Amino acid sequence: MGNLWGKQIPLKDLIRQNKRMVNKAIRELDRERKRMEGEEKKLIADIKKMAKAEQMAAVKIQAKELVRTRNYITKFIQLRAHLNGVLLKIQCVKSHEAMASAMKSTTGAMIKMNQQFSIPGLQKIMMEFQRENEKAELTQEMMGDTLDDVMDEEGDEEEQDKIVDQVLDEIGVNFGEQIPEAAAGQLGGAAAEPAAAAPAAMP
């Protein structure tokens, strides 16, 4: 694609020029069609006037002119439809050009991004991260165990038991009373069964 001087014309400019030319042709067709439609109305009026005056020879001549005018109007409508089809094709090419430009720009960005990353280097970084993360977790666990051993003192367990008993008292639970009662109830039930069974065995 080039102009008279052999200079390359960008596709975007070429599309714009063609679209402008087609739009101009459509405007000219519309203008000429409107003129012909006005001529059609004038011919119809003249035919009616001559028919009333019984000028039949003139009526026939005007009738032929009317048919010819209407044929041109139909051709103008067909030409406009064809030009609209050309406009649609130009718009389609424009959309394809925009999509191609976007894909080219995106591809260039992806190439630059991929050039900055090395797969072996990235794998090495991930392995080092995993190793250092495991070290950090192990160190944290060891420090926690050591601090627990250092911070624990004699009497802490007894104090903890007192706090637990206090909390249980506040919520109305007393393991020291309820558990023996349950045990006693179970024992009583077990003892009652032989007692109930003894009279049945007597003659």
Side-chain angles (χ1 to χ4, degrees), residues 7 50 57 103 105 114 117 122 126 155 167 180 189 196 199:
K7 187 177 180 180
M50 291 176 183
M103 291 179 65
S105 177
N114 290 331
F117 288 99
L122 185 60
M126 295 303 297
V167 173

Side-chain angles (χ1 to χ4, degrees), residues 143-196:
M143 289 179 63
D145 293 341
T146 303
L147 288 173
D148 288 341
D149 293 340
V150 171
M151 299 299 293
D152 285 343
E153 297 180 0
E154 293 183 2
D156 285 349
E157 187 174 355
E158 183 179 352
E159 185 67 22
Q160 291 172 5
D161 290 341
K162 289 182 180 180
I163 293 174
V164 171
D165 291 339
Q166 182 179 355
V167 173
L168 293 176
D169 289 339
E170 291 177 357
I171 63 176
V173 176
N174 190 333
F175 285 158
E177 295 177 358
Q178 290 185 2
I179 293 176
E181 287 178 0
Q186 292 175 356
L187 292 174
E193 291 178 359

Side-chain angles (χ1 to χ4, degrees), residues 129-143:
F129 173 81
Q130 183 179 4
R131 183 171 60 252
E132 296 301 324
N133 185 53
E134 291 176 354
K135 286 183 180 179
E137 290 180 355
L138 181 59
T139 303
Q140 183 178 0
E141 184 178 354
M142 292 175 61
M143 289 179 63

Side-chain angles (χ1 to χ4, degrees), residues 13 66 73 78 83 98 100 110 126 135 176 183 191:
D13 294 340
L66 178 61
I73 291 174
Q78 290 175 347
L83 287 174
M110 291 178 66
M126 295 303 297
K135 286 183 180 179

